[in-house]
Amino acid sequence: TELFEHRSGRVMTDEAYRAMGGIAGAIAARAERIHLELSDAARARTPQIFTELVTLGEGTEDTRRRVARARLPDGSETADVLAAYGDARLLSFDSNPLTREPTVEIAHEALIREWPRFRRWIDDDRENIRIARQVDEAAAQWEAGGRDPSDLYRGGRLAAIVDRGAPSRHAWTGRSVAFIDASVEFERRRREAEARTTNRLRRLVVAVAAVASVAIVASILAFLAQRRADDEAEAATMARAESETRRLSADAARLVGSNRRVALLLAAEAYGRDPTPLTLGGLQTVLSNTPGFLGYVGGERAFRDVAWLDDRRVVAADDAGLTVFD
């Protein structure tokens, strides 16, 4: 068709064929002319349609790809593009033999190699195209699994998609959009649930710390109260013991003239309970007034009187004078 349109009169020449770049060049030239003849809105939609019709090569050439018509963007602009390139036989139309769903594909792979504008669309958007295909495959798996939340994107994988934004020159499928939206919503709910759990744990920790503080304070107060009670009980016991000791010493002093034996026992008991200068002095007083003690101090000698010089020494008096015993 392109050669016929470049005929010379009624003749199609070899010169015209070579000038067009052969069949491949003719295909590229016709695709470019159709693109320029489209409306502005249709031209803006064309990259989205054509990049969807390409399978990206991984170290190999890019090839054509048959897709369901439903995968392409809706709207009159898409219909205009498909009609224009279909009439030029640069796009072919068929249906899926299993589902009978209408399909679209590029008629000649030479269009991918030879049409410079098409090559720029692919090369400039190659990474976005690859991401969109991955998202669509994940979305298909998500739908096939009954939209199970475990199939959604999350974490860093989802963040990379969201931060990158929608690919600029080719269409997301409806299920891809639904898949990403569901992933974002699920991640938002998950983060809110984690935040609520964290807040509950924080409040629980604060409550436990408060209860623990109260318990510690209560334990300290109870300990101090018990310590104070023990101290008071000990002080009362000591006071009773001191009172009893003083009573014993007083009774010993009172009985020293009438009942020296009992007085000695009481004075010795008082000193045994509380060996202080007071009880020692009481015991010494009783001993000093006991005749048996006077004789014991001097052995064969009898003394008229005995007195204590200190805790260990005794002074005794008789007709010979004073004698100190240690």
Side-chain angles (χ1 to χ4, degrees):
T1 301
E2 193 72 18
L3 182 60
F4 179 78
E5 292 180 355
H6 288 78
R7 69 190 181 278
S8 177
R10 297 172 61 92
V11 179
M12 292 185 294
T13 65
D14 181 63
E15 182 181 359
Y17 179 79
R18 290 196 302 271
M20 290 186 304
I23 293 176
I27 290 173
R30 173 151 292 225
E32 181 66 15
R33 186 167 63 252
I34 294 172
H35 179 71
L36 296 177
E37 292 173 353
L38 291 171
S39 66
D40 291 342
R43 280 201 302 272
R45 180 60 55 83
T46 305
Q48 297 177 324
I49 296 172
F50 273 83
T51 54
E52 188 65 28
L53 300 176
V54 176
T55 296
L56 300 180
E58 299 294 339
T60 59
E61 287 189 353
D62 301 327
T63 57
R64 59 183 175 174
R65 174 176 181 246
R66 177 180 296 184
V67 301
R69 171 65 179 83
R71 284 184 55 88
L72 300 178
D74 292 328
S76 60
E77 296 84 0
T78 298
D80 291 344
V81 173
L82 295 181
Y85 284 96
D87 291 344
R89 295 185 177 86
L90 296 180
L91 294 179
S92 62
F93 305 94
D94 202 346
S95 60
N96 188 303
L98 298 178
T99 65
R100 309 308 301 170
E101 185 178 17
T103 61
V104 182
E105 68 178 322
I106 295 170
H108 310 283
E109 286 191 344
L111 187 65
I112 302 174
R113 298 189 300 271
E114 303 298 334
W115 187 14
R117 187 183 298 273
F118 193 7
R119 289 302 320 164
R120 288 197 301 272
W121 289 341
I122 296 172
D123 293 340
D124 291 349
D125 226 23
R126 183 174 296 273
E127 184 61 24
N128 285 333
I129 296 171
R130 182 176 288 107
I131 291 174
R133 301 283 166 78
Q134 293 172 352
V135 171
D136 189 61
E137 290 176 4
Q141 180 180 350
W142 173 60
E143 286 193 340
R147 298 197 168 194
D148 189 338
S150 64
D151 292 328
L152 294 171
Y153 280 177
R154 65 195 63 191
R157 193 177 189 183
L158 176 61
I161 298 294
V162 173
D163 292 343
R164 189 180 187 89
S168 58
R169 291 186 178 175
H170 63 280
W172 286 79
T173 62
R175 67 184 179 188
S176 294
V177 173
F179 174 77
I180 294 299
D181 289 346
S183 297
V184 171
E185 178 62 19
F186 182 82
E187 184 72 4
R188 183 188 65 79
R189 293 198 304 269
R190 186 185 67 81
R191 290 181 181 276
E192 288 179 351
E194 286 182 352
R196 288 194 298 271
T197 300
T198 300
N199 290 334
R200 284 197 298 269
L201 289 175
R202 186 178 293 114
R203 289 194 296 269
L204 179 60
V205 169
V206 171
V208 170
V211 171
S213 299
V214 171
I216 291 172
V217 171
S219 298
I220 293 174
L221 293 176
F223 173 77
L224 293 177
Q226 183 62 44
R227 181 69 175 271
R228 185 166 53 251
D230 292 344
D231 291 345
E232 291 175 353
E234 184 178 356
T237 300
M238 293 179 62
R240 287 194 297 272
E242 291 177 357
S243 177
E244 182 67 16
T245 300
R246 287 193 299 269
R247 186 185 64 78
L248 292 174
S249 295
D251 289 345
R254 181 171 54 81
L255 294 174
V256 67
S258 59
N259 193 339
R260 290 190 180 88
R261 182 179 297 275
V262 174
L264 280 171
L265 291 174
L266 294 176
E269 177 67 17
Y271 181 74
R273 291 187 179 190
D274 187 16
T276 62
L278 179 63
T279 56
L280 179 59
L283 178 61
Q284 292 173 342
T285 300
V286 175
L287 288 173
S288 300
N289 288 278
T290 302
F293 177 73
L294 297 177
Y296 171 77
V297 171
E300 297 298 329
R301 298 170 58 182
F303 294 95
R304 294 191 304 274
D305 200 3
V306 175
W308 295 86
L309 294 177
D310 51 37
D311 291 350
R312 298 178 56 189
R313 294 181 300 166
V314 177
V315 59
D318 60 5
D319 293 340
L322 297 176
T323 304
V324 178
F325 298 92
D326 189 357

